[in-house]
Amino acid sequence: MTTRMAVLAVVAALVLGGPASAAWRVVGPGIAVGEARSGTASLAAECLGDGLVLAVYEKSWPFDREATLDLVVDGTAFPVRQHGSGDRIVLSDATSAGGNPDTSPALRAALKSGTEARLEGAVVSHIAPQEISFGLLGSQAAVTTVERFCR
């Protein structure tokens, strides 16, 4: 019985263990969220009109539309533009057919198949890397689900 309790405790820790092990999850129509490796930040994939954008919640930095910012997925850098500031910072690397910010097919594929996404650039250099690094466990199903709502 003690061994069984220990196994259940380990499984519970893995499933409920917090940001380091948290999987991406769909939290509503057209939005899925993954947590930072440390801290409270979240990276969301969400619809913005007919585009699918990424948004960072619970983490801010000096907003500069012209500043270079990369989303690095498993070592491949995707230059992204920043849109807005405040409670969320929207990121995109493409424009949709309807003229909305969007993510490129290459970035979407990397997010779905990768293991980690991290923000890099001068505007985020003051933030500890683990606070702007996001695991991608479960992102394939979550991002695919969100894509269906972006029309």
Side-chain angles (χ1 to χ4, degrees):
M1 189 66 153
T2 304
T3 303
R4 184 170 187 219
M5 293 299 284
V7 169
L8 288 174
V10 169
V11 170
L14 290 173
V15 172
L16 304 172
S21 61
W24 275 66
R25 63 203 180 282
V26 176
V27 295
I31 186 166
V33 178
E35 306 299 330
R37 298 276 186 203
S38 175
T40 60
S42 298
L43 180 64
E46 57 188 67
C47 296
L48 184 60
D50 65 337
L52 184 142
V53 297
L54 301 173
V56 177
Y57 289 88
E58 301 295 327
K59 186 60 66 180
S60 62
W61 54 82
F63 180 73
D64 180 355
R65 181 179 294 274
E66 303 303 318
T68 301
L69 186 63
D70 289 330
L71 184 65
V72 179
V73 181
D74 293 344
T76 301
F78 295 88
V80 292
R81 293 182 301 278
Q82 303 174 69
H83 307 273
S85 60
D87 71 333
R88 73 176 181 165
I89 298 177
V90 174
L91 307 172
S92 71
D93 71 336
T95 303
S96 71
N100 294 303
D102 200 359
T103 51
S104 66
L107 178 52
R108 289 185 195 196
L111 290 169
K112 291 177 186 179
S113 65
T115 58
E116 182 176 88
R118 182 182 65 256
L119 291 169
E120 291 185 356
V123 294
V124 295
S125 63
H126 66 286
I127 301 172
Q130 68 272 18
E131 292 182 13
I132 49 176
S133 295
F134 306 88
L136 296 175
L137 178 68
S139 61
Q140 180 172 10
V143 172
T144 299
T145 299
V146 171
E147 286 174 322
R148 290 187 284 216
F149 290 93
C150 302
R151 306 269 178 245

